[in-house]
Amino acid sequence: FYGLSLSSPLGMARENLEDGEKETELLEIRDVKRRDEIGQILSSVYQIAGKMSEKRTAHVDELKLNQLKFRTYVESLGPLLPVGAILMDSNNSILYINEAAVKAIFAETAESKGKHILEVARNTEFAVLFKQALKEPNKIFTQEIKNVNKKVSIISILGPDKMPLGTIVVVN
């Protein structure tokens, strides 16, 4: 009985923390009713968990802001390019596409932005080259796309952490 009265509150705390770990919102600091050593441990654990949750939320917010900044940067860069261009994010969703690139992949501009490149590209020669570029990241693949008489270059970029950063397509 004595062992159970000591371990039961700690087990409940562990379960509460595991449940809180699954949620994205901040953990509430639980009101610990015990005033003994176990109560002090539980209070400390909940305070630490609350602070960790606050830091996690701050990091998530910072990440979202950086993603928005990057997206804005890429979308602003696109119109400055003097060639056909498609700029994609890490999921190969289109951030920017201009008319010359639209014609080369047989897509419709209005429906392209925000969609996966292979969802809008109707040019099979382009799709084959694109898939090849994905298999060998950080290498430029250039090929003459015969059915549109354009030279297309594609690079899929991996970051230093080996995670995809995005893909760039240039049409000449």
mmCIF file with all atom_site columns, all heavy atoms in Angstrom, residues 116-141:
data_model
loop_
_atom_site.group_PDB
_atom_site.id
_atom_site.type_symbol
_atom_site.label_atom_id
_atom_site.label_alt_id
_atom_site.label_comp_id
_atom_site.label_asym_id
_atom_site.label_entity_id
_atom_site.label_seq_id
_atom_site.pdbx_PDB_ins_code
_atom_site.Cartn_x
_atom_site.Cartn_y
_atom_site.Cartn_z
_atom_site.occupancy
_atom_site.B_iso_or_equiv
_atom_site.pdbx_formal_charge
_atom_site.auth_seq_id
_atom_site.auth_comp_id
_atom_site.auth_asym_id
_atom_site.auth_atom_id
_atom_site.pdbx_PDB_model_num
ATOM 1   N N   . HIS A 1 116 ? 1.677  20.244 -56.650 1.00 0.00 ? 116 HIS A N   1
ATOM 2   C CA  . HIS A 1 116 ? 2.872  19.458 -56.947 1.00 0.00 ? 116 HIS A CA  1
ATOM 3   C C   . HIS A 1 116 ? 3.137  19.545 -58.443 1.00 0.00 ? 116 HIS A C   1
ATOM 4   O O   . HIS A 1 116 ? 2.202  19.490 -59.253 1.00 0.00 ? 116 HIS A O   1
ATOM 5   C CB  . HIS A 1 116 ? 2.669  18.004 -56.512 1.00 0.00 ? 116 HIS A CB  1
ATOM 6   C CG  . HIS A 1 116 ? 3.924  17.206 -56.558 1.00 0.00 ? 116 HIS A CG  1
ATOM 7   N ND1 . HIS A 1 116 ? 4.399  16.645 -57.727 1.00 0.00 ? 116 HIS A ND1 1
ATOM 8   C CD2 . HIS A 1 116 ? 4.820  16.898 -55.584 1.00 0.00 ? 116 HIS A CD2 1
ATOM 9   C CE1 . HIS A 1 116 ? 5.530  15.997 -57.465 1.00 0.00 ? 116 HIS A CE1 1
ATOM 10  N NE2 . HIS A 1 116 ? 5.810  16.136 -56.167 1.00 0.00 ? 116 HIS A NE2 1
ATOM 11  N N   . ILE A 1 117 ? 4.390  19.650 -58.827 1.00 0.00 ? 117 ILE A N   1
ATOM 12  C CA  . ILE A 1 117 ? 4.771  19.833 -60.225 1.00 0.00 ? 117 ILE A CA  1
ATOM 13  C C   . ILE A 1 117 ? 4.235  18.721 -61.123 1.00 0.00 ? 117 ILE A C   1
ATOM 14  O O   . ILE A 1 117 ? 3.746  18.982 -62.215 1.00 0.00 ? 117 ILE A O   1
ATOM 15  C CB  . ILE A 1 117 ? 6.311  19.979 -60.377 1.00 0.00 ? 117 ILE A CB  1
ATOM 16  C CG1 . ILE A 1 117 ? 6.696  20.305 -61.816 1.00 0.00 ? 117 ILE A CG1 1
ATOM 17  C CG2 . ILE A 1 117 ? 7.024  18.744 -59.883 1.00 0.00 ? 117 ILE A CG2 1
ATOM 18  C CD1 . ILE A 1 117 ? 6.298  21.672 -62.272 1.00 0.00 ? 117 ILE A CD1 1
ATOM 19  N N   . LEU A 1 118 ? 4.287  17.480 -60.660 1.00 0.00 ? 118 LEU A N   1
ATOM 20  C CA  . LEU A 1 118 ? 3.823  16.382 -61.507 1.00 0.00 ? 118 LEU A CA  1
ATOM 21  C C   . LEU A 1 118 ? 2.308  16.312 -61.603 1.00 0.00 ? 118 LEU A C   1
ATOM 22  O O   . LEU A 1 118 ? 1.770  15.608 -62.455 1.00 0.00 ? 118 LEU A O   1
ATOM 23  C CB  . LEU A 1 118 ? 4.411  15.054 -61.014 1.00 0.00 ? 118 LEU A CB  1
ATOM 24  C CG  . LEU A 1 118 ? 5.932  14.929 -61.159 1.00 0.00 ? 118 LEU A CG  1
ATOM 25  C CD1 . LEU A 1 118 ? 6.423  13.607 -60.599 1.00 0.00 ? 118 LEU A CD1 1
ATOM 26  C CD2 . LEU A 1 118 ? 6.383  15.139 -62.599 1.00 0.00 ? 118 LEU A CD2 1
ATOM 27  N N   . GLU A 1 119 ? 1.638  17.056 -60.748 1.00 0.00 ? 119 GLU A N   1
ATOM 28  C CA  . GLU A 1 119 ? 0.183  17.140 -60.820 1.00 0.00 ? 119 GLU A CA  1
ATOM 29  C C   . GLU A 1 119 ? -0.253 18.058 -61.965 1.00 0.00 ? 119 GLU A C   1
ATOM 30  O O   . GLU A 1 119 ? -1.317 17.869 -62.546 1.00 0.00 ? 119 GLU A O   1
ATOM 31  C CB  . GLU A 1 119 ? -0.335 17.688 -59.485 1.00 0.00 ? 119 GLU A CB  1
ATOM 32  C CG  . GLU A 1 119 ? -1.820 17.664 -59.297 1.00 0.00 ? 119 GLU A CG  1
ATOM 33  C CD  . GLU A 1 119 ? -2.216 18.203 -57.927 1.00 0.00 ? 119 GLU A CD  1
ATOM 34  O OE1 . GLU A 1 119 ? -1.408 18.150 -56.983 1.00 0.00 ? 119 GLU A OE1 1
ATOM 35  O OE2 . GLU A 1 119 ? -3.349 18.684 -57.831 1.00 0.00 ? 119 GLU A OE2 1
ATOM 36  N N   . VAL A 1 120 ? 0.588  19.035 -62.322 1.00 0.00 ? 120 VAL A N   1
ATOM 37  C CA  . VAL A 1 120 ? 0.207  19.998 -63.361 1.00 0.00 ? 120 VAL A CA  1
ATOM 38  C C   . VAL A 1 120 ? 0.970  19.823 -64.668 1.00 0.00 ? 120 VAL A C   1
ATOM 39  O O   . VAL A 1 120 ? 0.508  20.271 -65.709 1.00 0.00 ? 120 VAL A O   1
ATOM 40  C CB  . VAL A 1 120 ? 0.365  21.456 -62.865 1.00 0.00 ? 120 VAL A CB  1
ATOM 41  C CG1 . VAL A 1 120 ? -0.538 21.719 -61.694 1.00 0.00 ? 120 VAL A CG1 1
ATOM 42  C CG2 . VAL A 1 120 ? 1.793  21.777 -62.513 1.00 0.00 ? 120 VAL A CG2 1
ATOM 43  N N   . ALA A 1 121 ? 2.135  19.171 -64.625 1.00 0.00 ? 121 ALA A N   1
ATOM 44  C CA  . ALA A 1 121 ? 2.934  18.987 -65.841 1.00 0.00 ? 121 ALA A CA  1
ATOM 45  C C   . ALA A 1 121 ? 2.303  17.905 -66.711 1.00 0.00 ? 121 ALA A C   1
ATOM 46  O O   . ALA A 1 121 ? 2.085  16.787 -66.265 1.00 0.00 ? 121 ALA A O   1
ATOM 47  C CB  . ALA A 1 121 ? 4.366  18.609 -65.475 1.00 0.00 ? 121 ALA A CB  1
ATOM 48  N N   . ARG A 1 122 ? 2.016  18.268 -67.937 1.00 0.00 ? 122 ARG A N   1
ATOM 49  C CA  . ARG A 1 122 ? 1.411  17.318 -68.883 1.00 0.00 ? 122 ARG A CA  1
ATOM 50  C C   . ARG A 1 122 ? 2.413  16.832 -69.926 1.00 0.00 ? 122 ARG A C   1
ATOM 51  O O   . ARG A 1 122 ? 2.087  16.043 -70.790 1.00 0.00 ? 122 ARG A O   1
ATOM 52  C CB  . ARG A 1 122 ? 0.226  17.978 -69.603 1.00 0.00 ? 122 ARG A CB  1
ATOM 53  C CG  . ARG A 1 122 ? -0.793 18.624 -68.698 1.00 0.00 ? 122 ARG A CG  1
ATOM 54  C CD  . ARG A 1 122 ? -1.743 17.592 -68.125 1.00 0.00 ? 122 ARG A CD  1
ATOM 55  N NE  . ARG A 1 122 ? -2.827 18.248 -67.398 1.00 0.00 ? 122 ARG A NE  1
ATOM 56  C CZ  . ARG A 1 122 ? -2.892 18.308 -66.077 1.00 0.00 ? 122 ARG A CZ  1
ATOM 57  N NH1 . ARG A 1 122 ? -1.961 17.776 -65.347 1.00 0.00 ? 122 ARG A NH1 1
ATOM 58  N NH2 . ARG A 1 122 ? -3.903 18.907 -65.481 1.00 0.00 ? 122 ARG A NH2 1
ATOM 59  N N   . ASN A 1 123 ? 3.630  17.342 -69.867 1.00 0.00 ? 123 ASN A N   1
ATOM 60  C CA  . ASN A 1 123 ? 4.674  16.985 -70.814 1.00 0.00 ? 123 ASN A CA  1
ATOM 61  C C   . ASN A 1 123 ? 5.439  15.778 -70.279 1.00 0.00 ? 123 ASN A C   1
ATOM 62  O O   . ASN A 1 123 ? 6.157  15.871 -69.295 1.00 0.00 ? 123 ASN A O   1
ATOM 63  C CB  . ASN A 1 123 ? 5.614  18.177 -71.017 1.00 0.00 ? 123 ASN A CB  1
ATOM 64  C CG  . ASN A 1 123 ? 6.598  17.956 -72.135 1.00 0.00 ? 123 ASN A CG  1
ATOM 65  O OD1 . ASN A 1 123 ? 7.035  16.831 -72.367 1.00 0.00 ? 123 ASN A OD1 1
ATOM 66  N ND2 . ASN A 1 123 ? 6.962  19.022 -72.818 1.00 0.00 ? 123 ASN A ND2 1
ATOM 67  N N   . THR A 1 124 ? 5.308  14.639 -70.949 1.00 0.00 ? 124 THR A N   1
ATOM 68  C CA  . THR A 1 124 ? 5.920  13.401 -70.455 1.00 0.00 ? 124 THR A CA  1
ATOM 69  C C   . THR A 1 124 ? 7.452  13.447 -70.512 1.00 0.00 ? 124 THR A C   1
ATOM 70  O O   . THR A 1 124 ? 8.111  12.887 -69.638 1.00 0.00 ? 124 THR A O   1
ATOM 71  C CB  . THR A 1 124 ? 5.407  12.173 -71.222 1.00 0.00 ? 124 THR A CB  1
ATOM 72  O OG1 . THR A 1 124 ? 5.599  12.383 -72.624 1.00 0.00 ? 124 THR A OG1 1
ATOM 73  C CG2 . THR A 1 124 ? 3.943  11.931 -70.930 1.00 0.00 ? 124 THR A CG2 1
ATOM 74  N N   . GLU A 1 125 ? 8.015  14.113 -71.512 1.00 0.00 ? 125 GLU A N   1
ATOM 75  C CA  . GLU A 1 125 ? 9.478  14.241 -71.581 1.00 0.00 ? 125 GLU A CA  1
ATOM 76  C C   . GLU A 1 125 ? 9.998  14.998 -70.353 1.00 0.00 ? 125 GLU A C   1
ATOM 77  O O   . GLU A 1 125 ? 11.010 14.620 -69.765 1.00 0.00 ? 125 GLU A O   1
ATOM 78  C CB  . GLU A 1 125 ? 9.903  14.993 -72.845 1.00 0.00 ? 125 GLU A CB  1
ATOM 79  C CG  . GLU A 1 125 ? 9.847  14.188 -74.111 1.00 0.00 ? 125 GLU A CG  1
ATOM 80  C CD  . GLU A 1 125 ? 10.374 14.985 -75.281 1.00 0.00 ? 125 GLU A CD  1
ATOM 81  O OE1 . GLU A 1 125 ? 11.619 15.019 -75.458 1.00 0.00 ? 125 GLU A OE1 1
ATOM 82  O OE2 . GLU A 1 125 ? 9.555  15.588 -76.002 1.00 0.00 ? 125 GLU A OE2 1
ATOM 83  N N   . PHE A 1 126 ? 9.305  16.050 -69.982 1.00 0.00 ? 126 PHE A N   1
ATOM 84  C CA  . PHE A 1 126 ? 9.683  16.820 -68.800 1.00 0.00 ? 126 PHE A CA  1
ATOM 85  C C   . PHE A 1 126 ? 9.559  15.959 -67.543 1.00 0.00 ? 126 PHE A C   1
ATOM 86  O O   . PHE A 1 126 ? 10.448 15.974 -66.690 1.00 0.00 ? 126 PHE A O   1
ATOM 87  C CB  . PHE A 1 126 ? 8.814  18.078 -68.663 1.00 0.00 ? 126 PHE A CB  1
ATOM 88  C CG  . PHE A 1 126 ? 8.994  18.756 -67.336 1.00 0.00 ? 126 PHE A CG  1
ATOM 89  C CD1 . PHE A 1 126 ? 10.073 19.578 -67.105 1.00 0.00 ? 126 PHE A CD1 1
ATOM 90  C CD2 . PHE A 1 126 ? 8.089  18.536 -66.308 1.00 0.00 ? 126 PHE A CD2 1
ATOM 91  C CE1 . PHE A 1 126 ? 10.255 20.186 -65.873 1.00 0.00 ? 126 PHE A CE1 1
ATOM 92  C CE2 . PHE A 1 126 ? 8.263  19.136 -65.069 1.00 0.00 ? 126 PHE A CE2 1
ATOM 93  C CZ  . PHE A 1 126 ? 9.355  19.962 -64.848 1.00 0.00 ? 126 PHE A CZ  1
ATOM 94  N N   . ALA A 1 127 ? 8.464  15.223 -67.422 1.00 0.00 ? 127 ALA A N   1
ATOM 95  C CA  . ALA A 1 127 ? 8.230  14.397 -66.223 1.00 0.00 ? 127 ALA A CA  1
ATOM 96  C C   . ALA A 1 127 ? 9.338  13.367 -66.025 1.00 0.00 ? 127 ALA A C   1
ATOM 97  O O   . ALA A 1 127 ? 9.801  13.136 -64.908 1.00 0.00 ? 127 ALA A O   1
ATOM 98  C CB  . ALA A 1 127 ? 6.867  13.721 -66.300 1.00 0.00 ? 127 ALA A CB  1
ATOM 99  N N   . VAL A 1 128 ? 9.799  12.760 -67.113 1.00 0.00 ? 128 VAL A N   1
ATOM 100 C CA  . VAL A 1 128 ? 10.875 11.775 -67.037 1.00 0.00 ? 128 VAL A CA  1
ATOM 101 C C   . VAL A 1 128 ? 12.169 12.443 -66.554 1.00 0.00 ? 128 VAL A C   1
ATOM 102 O O   . VAL A 1 128 ? 12.860 11.924 -65.666 1.00 0.00 ? 128 VAL A O   1
ATOM 103 C CB  . VAL A 1 128 ? 11.086 11.077 -68.403 1.00 0.00 ? 128 VAL A CB  1
ATOM 104 C CG1 . VAL A 1 128 ? 12.368 10.256 -68.421 1.00 0.00 ? 128 VAL A CG1 1
ATOM 105 C CG2 . VAL A 1 128 ? 9.886  10.214 -68.745 1.00 0.00 ? 128 VAL A CG2 1
ATOM 106 N N   . LEU A 1 129 ? 12.490 13.602 -67.108 1.00 0.00 ? 129 LEU A N   1
ATOM 107 C CA  . LEU A 1 129 ? 13.691 14.334 -66.699 1.00 0.00 ? 129 LEU A CA  1
ATOM 108 C C   . LEU A 1 129 ? 13.579 14.770 -65.238 1.00 0.00 ? 129 LEU A C   1
ATOM 109 O O   . LEU A 1 129 ? 14.544 14.678 -64.476 1.00 0.00 ? 129 LEU A O   1
ATOM 110 C CB  . LEU A 1 129 ? 13.910 15.555 -67.603 1.00 0.00 ? 129 LEU A CB  1
ATOM 111 C CG  . LEU A 1 129 ? 15.151 16.387 -67.316 1.00 0.00 ? 129 LEU A CG  1
ATOM 112 C CD1 . LEU A 1 129 ? 16.421 15.567 -67.522 1.00 0.00 ? 129 LEU A CD1 1
ATOM 113 C CD2 . LEU A 1 129 ? 15.153 17.638 -68.190 1.00 0.00 ? 129 LEU A CD2 1
ATOM 114 N N   . PHE A 1 130 ? 12.403 15.211 -64.833 1.00 0.00 ? 130 PHE A N   1
ATOM 115 C CA  . PHE A 1 130 ? 12.183 15.649 -63.458 1.00 0.00 ? 130 PHE A CA  1
ATOM 116 C C   . PHE A 1 130 ? 12.421 14.498 -62.474 1.00 0.00 ? 130 PHE A C   1
ATOM 117 O O   . PHE A 1 130 ? 13.108 14.653 -61.469 1.00 0.00 ? 130 PHE A O   1
ATOM 118 C CB  . PHE A 1 130 ? 10.761 16.197 -63.305 1.00 0.00 ? 130 PHE A CB  1
ATOM 119 C CG  . PHE A 1 130 ? 10.472 16.717 -61.934 1.00 0.00 ? 130 PHE A CG  1
ATOM 120 C CD1 . PHE A 1 130 ? 10.907 17.969 -61.544 1.00 0.00 ? 130 PHE A CD1 1
ATOM 121 C CD2 . PHE A 1 130 ? 9.789  15.936 -61.019 1.00 0.00 ? 130 PHE A CD2 1
ATOM 122 C CE1 . PHE A 1 130 ? 10.657 18.444 -60.265 1.00 0.00 ? 130 PHE A CE1 1
ATOM 123 C CE2 . PHE A 1 130 ? 9.531  16.394 -59.745 1.00 0.00 ? 130 PHE A CE2 1
ATOM 124 C CZ  . PHE A 1 130 ? 9.968  17.657 -59.366 1.00 0.00 ? 130 PHE A CZ  1
ATOM 125 N N   . LYS A 1 131 ? 11.867 13.343 -62.758 1.00 0.00 ? 131 LYS A N   1
ATOM 126 C CA  . LYS A 1 131 ? 12.049 12.175 -61.884 1.00 0.00 ? 131 LYS A CA  1
ATOM 127 C C   . LYS A 1 131 ? 13.516 11.765 -61.809 1.00 0.00 ? 131 LYS A C   1
ATOM 128 O O   . LYS A 1 131 ? 14.002 11.358 -60.758 1.00 0.00 ? 131 LYS A O   1
ATOM 129 C CB  . LYS A 1 131 ? 11.173 11.023 -62.363 1.00 0.00 ? 131 LYS A CB  1
ATOM 130 C CG  . LYS A 1 131 ? 9.697  11.264 -62.122 1.00 0.00 ? 131 LYS A CG  1
ATOM 131 C CD  . LYS A 1 131 ? 8.847  10.159 -62.701 1.00 0.00 ? 131 LYS A CD  1
ATOM 132 C CE  . LYS A 1 131 ? 7.369  10.464 -62.538 1.00 0.00 ? 131 LYS A CE  1
ATOM 133 N NZ  . LYS A 1 131 ? 6.521  9.449  -63.180 1.00 0.00 ? 131 LYS A NZ  1
ATOM 134 N N   . GLN A 1 132 ? 14.223 11.893 -62.920 1.00 0.00 ? 132 GLN A N   1
ATOM 135 C CA  . GLN A 1 132 ? 15.648 11.577 -62.938 1.00 0.00 ? 132 GLN A CA  1
ATOM 136 C C   . GLN A 1 132 ? 16.411 12.540 -62.022 1.00 0.00 ? 132 GLN A C   1
ATOM 137 O O   . GLN A 1 132 ? 17.288 12.129 -61.273 1.00 0.00 ? 132 GLN A O   1
ATOM 138 C CB  . GLN A 1 132 ? 16.179 11.665 -64.368 1.00 0.00 ? 132 GLN A CB  1
ATOM 139 C CG  . GLN A 1 132 ? 17.623 11.265 -64.526 1.00 0.00 ? 132 GLN A CG  1
ATOM 140 C CD  . GLN A 1 132 ? 18.093 11.398 -65.968 1.00 0.00 ? 132 GLN A CD  1
ATOM 141 O OE1 . GLN A 1 132 ? 17.369 11.869 -66.849 1.00 0.00 ? 132 GLN A OE1 1
ATOM 142 N NE2 . GLN A 1 132 ? 19.323 10.989 -66.215 1.00 0.00 ? 132 GLN A NE2 1
ATOM 143 N N   . ALA A 1 133 ? 16.051 13.825 -62.060 1.00 0.00 ? 133 ALA A N   1
ATOM 144 C CA  . ALA A 1 133 ? 16.709 14.833 -61.214 1.00 0.00 ? 133 ALA A CA  1
ATOM 145 C C   . ALA A 1 133 ? 16.451 14.566 -59.733 1.00 0.00 ? 133 ALA A C   1
ATOM 146 O O   . ALA A 1 133 ? 17.318 14.809 -58.894 1.00 0.00 ? 133 ALA A O   1
ATOM 147 C CB  . ALA A 1 133 ? 16.246 16.235 -61.595 1.00 0.00 ? 133 ALA A CB  1
ATOM 148 N N   . LEU A 1 134 ? 15.275 14.065 -59.409 1.00 0.00 ? 134 LEU A N   1
ATOM 149 C CA  . LEU A 1 134 ? 14.968 13.760 -58.010 1.00 0.00 ? 134 LEU A CA  1
ATOM 150 C C   . LEU A 1 134 ? 15.805 12.600 -57.480 1.00 0.00 ? 134 LEU A C   1
ATOM 151 O O   . LEU A 1 134 ? 16.124 12.551 -56.289 1.00 0.00 ? 134 LEU A O   1
ATOM 152 C CB  . LEU A 1 134 ? 13.484 13.429 -57.841 1.00 0.00 ? 134 LEU A CB  1
ATOM 153 C CG  . LEU A 1 134 ? 12.494 14.575 -58.021 1.00 0.00 ? 134 LEU A CG  1
ATOM 154 C CD1 . LEU A 1 134 ? 11.068 14.074 -57.804 1.00 0.00 ? 134 LEU A CD1 1
ATOM 155 C CD2 . LEU A 1 134 ? 12.797 15.736 -57.104 1.00 0.00 ? 134 LEU A CD2 1
ATOM 156 N N   . LYS A 1 135 ? 16.157 11.681 -58.361 1.00 0.00 ? 135 LYS A N   1
ATOM 157 C CA  . LYS A 1 135 ? 16.949 10.517 -57.946 1.00 0.00 ? 135 LYS A CA  1
ATOM 158 C C   . LYS A 1 135 ? 18.393 10.879 -57.632 1.00 0.00 ? 135 LYS A C   1
ATOM 159 O O   . LYS A 1 135 ? 19.053 10.189 -56.863 1.00 0.00 ? 135 LYS A O   1
ATOM 160 C CB  . LYS A 1 135 ? 16.917 9.429  -59.030 1.00 0.00 ? 135 LYS A CB  1
ATOM 161 C CG  . LYS A 1 135 ? 15.575 8.748  -59.159 1.00 0.00 ? 135 LYS A CG  1
ATOM 162 C CD  . LYS A 1 135 ? 15.597 7.718  -60.254 1.00 0.00 ? 135 LYS A CD  1
ATOM 163 C CE  . LYS A 1 135 ? 14.226 7.106  -60.453 1.00 0.00 ? 135 LYS A CE  1
ATOM 164 N NZ  . LYS A 1 135 ? 14.191 6.201  -61.606 1.00 0.00 ? 135 LYS A NZ  1
ATOM 165 N N   . GLU A 1 136 ? 18.891 11.936 -58.249 1.00 0.00 ? 136 GLU A N   1
ATOM 166 C CA  . GLU A 1 136 ? 20.281 12.365 -58.032 1.00 0.00 ? 136 GLU A CA  1
ATOM 167 C C   . GLU A 1 136 ? 20.303 13.844 -57.663 1.00 0.00 ? 136 GLU A C   1
ATOM 168 O O   . GLU A 1 136 ? 20.575 14.705 -58.502 1.00 0.00 ? 136 GLU A O   1
ATOM 169 C CB  . GLU A 1 136 ? 21.118 12.120 -59.280 1.00 0.00 ? 136 GLU A CB  1
ATOM 170 C CG  . GLU A 1 136 ? 21.295 10.646 -59.614 1.00 0.00 ? 136 GLU A CG  1
ATOM 171 C CD  . GLU A 1 136 ? 22.216 10.453 -60.797 1.00 0.00 ? 136 GLU A CD  1
ATOM 172 O OE1 . GLU A 1 136 ? 23.370 10.931 -60.733 1.00 0.00 ? 136 GLU A OE1 1
ATOM 173 O OE2 . GLU A 1 136 ? 21.767 9.836  -61.777 1.00 0.00 ? 136 GLU A OE2 1
ATOM 174 N N   . PRO A 1 137 ? 20.002 14.161 -56.401 1.00 0.00 ? 137 PRO A N   1
ATOM 175 C CA  . PRO A 1 137 ? 19.944 15.561 -55.988 1.00 0.00 ? 137 PRO A CA  1
ATOM 176 C C   . PRO A 1 137 ? 21.298 16.268 -56.083 1.00 0.00 ? 137 PRO A C   1
ATOM 177 O O   . PRO A 1 137 ? 22.347 15.629 -56.101 1.00 0.00 ? 137 PRO A O   1
ATOM 178 C CB  . PRO A 1 137 ? 19.480 15.499 -54.531 1.00 0.00 ? 137 PRO A CB  1
ATOM 179 C CG  . PRO A 1 137 ? 19.374 14.076 -54.172 1.00 0.00 ? 137 PRO A CG  1
ATOM 180 C CD  . PRO A 1 137 ? 19.681 13.243 -55.346 1.00 0.00 ? 137 PRO A CD  1
ATOM 181 N N   . ASN A 1 138 ? 21.222 17.596 -56.175 1.00 0.00 ? 138 ASN A N   1
ATOM 182 C CA  . ASN A 1 138 ? 22.386 18.492 -56.258 1.00 0.00 ? 138 ASN A CA  1
ATOM 183 C C   . ASN A 1 138 ? 23.193 18.306 -57.538 1.00 0.00 ? 138 ASN A C   1
ATOM 184 O O   . ASN A 1 138 ? 24.356 18.673 -57.604 1.00 0.00 ? 138 ASN A O   1
ATOM 185 C CB  . ASN A 1 138 ? 23.285 18.369 -55.025 1.00 0.00 ? 138 ASN A CB  1
ATOM 186 C CG  . ASN A 1 138 ? 22.588 18.798 -53.753 1.00 0.00 ? 138 ASN A CG  1
ATOM 187 O OD1 . ASN A 1 138 ? 21.682 19.630 -53.777 1.00 0.00 ? 138 ASN A OD1 1
ATOM 188 N ND2 . ASN A 1 138 ? 22.977 18.226 -52.645 1.00 0.00 ? 138 ASN A ND2 1
ATOM 189 N N   . LYS A 1 139 ? 22.571 17.722 -58.534 1.00 0.00 ? 139 LYS A N   1
ATOM 190 C CA  . LYS A 1 139 ? 23.205 17.555 -59.846 1.00 0.00 ? 139 LYS A CA  1
ATOM 191 C C   . LYS A 1 139 ? 22.266 18.191 -60.874 1.00 0.00 ? 139 LYS A C   1
ATOM 192 O O   . LYS A 1 139 ? 21.054 17.975 -60.829 1.00 0.00 ? 139 LYS A O   1
ATOM 193 C CB  . LYS A 1 139 ? 23.390 16.062 -60.148 1.00 0.00 ? 139 LYS A CB  1
ATOM 194 C CG  . LYS A 1 139 ? 24.018 15.777 -61.475 1.00 0.00 ? 139 LYS A CG  1
ATOM 195 C CD  . LYS A 1 139 ? 24.205 14.282 -61.686 1.00 0.00 ? 139 LYS A CD  1
ATOM 196 C CE  . LYS A 1 139 ? 24.710 14.010 -63.080 1.00 0.00 ? 139 LYS A CE  1
ATOM 197 N NZ  . LYS A 1 139 ? 24.755 12.566 -63.359 1.00 0.00 ? 139 LYS A NZ  1
ATOM 198 N N   . ILE A 1 140 ? 22.837 18.973 -61.772 1.00 0.00 ? 140 ILE A N   1
ATOM 199 C CA  . ILE A 1 140 ? 22.021 19.642 -62.798 1.00 0.00 ? 140 ILE A CA  1
ATOM 200 C C   . ILE A 1 140 ? 21.794 18.677 -63.957 1.00 0.00 ? 140 ILE A C   1
ATOM 201 O O   . ILE A 1 140 ? 22.741 18.124 -64.511 1.00 0.00 ? 140 ILE A O   1
ATOM 202 C CB  . ILE A 1 140 ? 22.696 20.929 -63.293 1.00 0.00 ? 140 ILE A CB  1
ATOM 203 C CG1 . ILE A 1 140 ? 22.866 21.911 -62.139 1.00 0.00 ? 140 ILE A CG1 1
ATOM 204 C CG2 . ILE A 1 140 ? 21.891 21.550 -64.434 1.00 0.00 ? 140 ILE A CG2 1
ATOM 205 C CD1 . ILE A 1 140 ? 23.688 23.132 -62.477 1.00 0.00 ? 140 ILE A CD1 1
ATOM 206 N N   . PHE A 1 141 ? 20.538 18.504 -64.309 1.00 0.00 ? 141 PHE A N   1
ATOM 207 C CA  . PHE A 1 141 ? 20.161 17.675 -65.457 1.00 0.00 ? 141 PHE A CA  1
ATOM 208 C C   . PHE A 1 141 ? 19.648 18.605 -66.548 1.00 0.00 ? 141 PHE A C   1
ATOM 209 O O   . PHE A 1 141 ? 18.725 19.384 -66.310 1.00 0.00 ? 141 PHE A O   1
ATOM 210 C CB  . PHE A 1 141 ? 19.072 16.674 -65.074 1.00 0.00 ? 141 PHE A CB  1
ATOM 211 C CG  . PHE A 1 141 ? 19.582 15.543 -64.234 1.00 0.00 ? 141 PHE A CG  1
ATOM 212 C CD1 . PHE A 1 141 ? 19.710 15.687 -62.857 1.00 0.00 ? 141 PHE A CD1 1
ATOM 213 C CD2 . PHE A 1 141 ? 19.962 14.350 -64.821 1.00 0.00 ? 141 PHE A CD2 1
ATOM 214 C CE1 . PHE A 1 141 ? 20.198 14.658 -62.086 1.00 0.00 ? 141 PHE A CE1 1
ATOM 215 C CE2 . PHE A 1 141 ? 20.449 13.311 -64.053 1.00 0.00 ? 141 PHE A CE2 1
ATOM 216 C CZ  . PHE A 1 141 ? 20.574 13.466 -62.677 1.00 0.00 ? 141 PHE A CZ  1
#
